[in-house]
Structures are given as structure tokens and as C-alpha cells.
Amino acid sequence: MRRVSVSVVGKDGEIHTKHVDATSLFDAADEVIRDWNRLWWWSSSAVIEVASENDRWKVNQATVRKWRAERRRN
């Protein structure tokens, strides 16, 4: 696991960030979706950015949901 920073721009136009320990980009993004999806500012179409040191990745939520579904099947 490594410590990463996960950010998303909410419906309020603000950047919301959370630091998590994750095994992968998808693991980190999934944790944020599960934690924040009930908050008023959350947008289900927002792109999620995961950063670790000098590396940055962007992933859309549909891809994360597909990853989660595949993981549950296995």
C-alpha cells in the first residue's frame, strides 16, 4: 500500500481532497466514491485525480465502477 492524494472537483466548484492508503489507482478512487457519494457537492460525473509523489492519474467514475464489479465477480 502507498499513501496517495485523491481529488475531485465538486458541484460547488471546490477541489475536495482526501489522503488514503491504497493498493492501486482504482482502490483509491473507489474509496473516495464510497465515502463521498452521499455528500451534497458530489458529482457522479466528476473525474477523479489520484496523485502519488510526482505521479498523477485521472480516472472517470464509470471505469472505477466497472473495476469494482469485476473485482466482486472474481
Side-chain angles (χ1 to χ4, degrees), residues 42-58:
W42 181 255
S43 171
S44 60
S45 62
V47 173
I48 298 171
E49 182 175 281
V50 180
S52 175
E53 297 178 10
N54 294 327
D55 297 320
R56 292 190 180 282
W57 305 273
K58 291 185 179 182

Side-chain angles (χ1 to χ4, degrees), residues 9-74:
V9 177
K11 287 190 253 184
D12 58 357
E14 297 292 322
I15 298 172
H16 300 270
T17 303
K18 181 176 182 174
H19 301 284
V20 301
D21 292 318
T23 56
S24 71
L25 155 73
F26 291 101
D27 184 38
D30 187 48
E31 182 172 334
V32 165
I33 291 170
R34 286 183 286 115
D35 286 352
W36 286 349
N37 70 358
R38 293 178 201 99
L39 300 176
W40 70 269
W41 52 262
W42 181 255
S43 171
S44 60
S45 62
V47 173
I48 298 171
E49 182 175 281
V50 180
S52 175
E53 297 178 10
N54 294 327
D55 297 320
R56 292 190 180 282
W57 305 273
K58 291 185 179 182
V59 63
N60 67 49
Q61 293 180 53
T63 303
V64 176
R65 288 185 196 99
K66 183 177 177 182
W67 170 84
R68 183 189 313 148
E70 289 292 322
R71 195 167 160 205
R72 287 182 182 162
R73 281 186 228 156
N74 295 330

